[in-house]
Amino acid sequence: MSPEGGRVRWWAAVFWLAVWQAGSMALGSALLLPSPLHVLARLAALGATAAFWRAVVLSASRIAGGFLLALTAGVGLAALSCRWRRVEELLSPAMLAIRSVPVASFTILALLWVSAKNLSVLITFLMALPVLYAGALQGLRAADPALLEMGRVFRLSPLRRLRFLRLPALWPHLSAACAVSMGLSWKAGTAAEIIGIPAGSLGERMQQAKVYLNTADLFACTLAVVVLSLCFERGAVRLLRLGERLFREV
């Protein structure tokens, strides 16, 4: 899967905005479905407040922290699984269980173990880990066996084998896994905040908007999460590509 495969065309975005507008006009109630302009106006109003930006920074830092932990653990565990088959067999049931259990179930269980403010970090980590682990493992195993054998015959150092043989095969798979898992991280992290309601987070704002039937604010916060997710996704992929280029130039 290419990380570029989800690129949105402007005409498709305009079409669905028109559908949204038509639905809002048909219902005739901002409580049920506010118009796109109404939501954008509320997002602009929220964006003019310091409290909103504090919530954005707080939620983004926790979700990004969980993602980075999952990336580190996923690549590390994939390297061990690539080296030793028993490690892969040991991890397989755990990864399957994490992929299968609903986010809401994990979130409710995790509330018994961690505080609400750290909940989104844990849930983001758990949801992103299997995707990153699978992508990294697939990438490490995509290296040409003949080239790896040649590297051993010519006694290339482990660093050179990693640089010239493993990483070129790893980067495309890891980039695709990052693109998928970053969007999943924002979905899971935001859901965890809505359930756990940590103070000062975007999830708390969305929960309050639901309780007080402030549909426009709920849509505005959701739109903010979508934009943040897309920005973080593109940023993660570009950082990986930059890392690849820098590693090749060393």
Side-chain angles (χ1 to χ4, degrees), residues 74-75 78-79 82 131-145 148 162 165-177:
V75 173
C82 184
V131 179
L132 294 168
Y133 168 79
L137 183 58
Q138 186 178 7
L140 289 171
R141 286 184 172 162
D144 190 337
L148 293 175
L162 175 66
L165 304 180
R166 291 287 188 185
L167 284 182
L170 171 64
W171 287 117
H173 294 275
L174 190 59
S175 295

Side-chain angles (χ1 to χ4, degrees), residues 229-249:
S229 175
L230 290 174
C231 291
F232 272 71
E233 175 187 320
R234 298 297 172 84
V237 172
R238 288 182 180 180
L239 282 175
L240 278 172
R241 290 175 177 171
L242 176 62
E244 180 185 11
R245 288 197 298 269
L246 291 176
F247 198 84
R248 286 175 180 271
E249 292 172 2

Side-chain angles (χ1 to χ4, degrees), residues 117-146:
K117 68 178 183 179
N118 295 319
L119 182 63
S120 58
V121 177
L122 176 60
I123 298 302
T124 299
F125 170 81
L126 289 174
M127 293 300 104
L129 179 61
V131 179
L132 294 168
Y133 168 79
L137 183 58
Q138 186 178 7
L140 289 171
R141 286 184 172 162
D144 190 337

Side-chain angles (χ1 to χ4, degrees), residues 74-201:
V75 173
L77 292 174
L80 294 175
S81 296
C82 184
R83 178 65 178 83
W84 293 289
R85 177 72 66 173
R86 293 296 184 187
V87 175
E88 181 185 9
E89 294 173 353
L90 180 65
L91 293 175
S92 180
M95 295 298 173
L96 179 61
I98 294 172
R99 286 198 305 267
S100 303
V101 175
V103 177
S105 298
F106 260 133
T107 303
I108 294 170
L109 287 171
L111 274 172
L112 301 174
W113 309 322
V114 299
S115 63
K117 68 178 183 179
N118 295 319
L119 182 63
S120 58
V121 177
L122 176 60
I123 298 302
T124 299
F125 170 81
L126 289 174
M127 293 300 104
L129 179 61
V131 179
L132 294 168
Y133 168 79
L137 183 58
Q138 186 178 7
L140 289 171
R141 286 184 172 162
D144 190 337
L147 291 178
L148 293 175
E149 181 61 28
M150 183 181 68
R152 283 189 290 268
V153 169
F154 286 95
R155 297 183 179 179
L156 291 179
S157 67
L159 183 60
R160 283 182 170 272
R161 288 203 298 269
L162 175 66
R163 177 182 174 184
F164 294 111
L165 304 180
R166 291 287 188 185
L167 284 182
L170 171 64
W171 287 117
H173 294 275
L174 190 59
S175 295
C178 283
V180 173
S181 59
M182 181 56 77
L184 182 62
S185 295
W186 274 94
K187 290 180 183 178
T190 304
E193 288 185 346
I194 292 173
I195 294 174
I197 321 179
S201 66

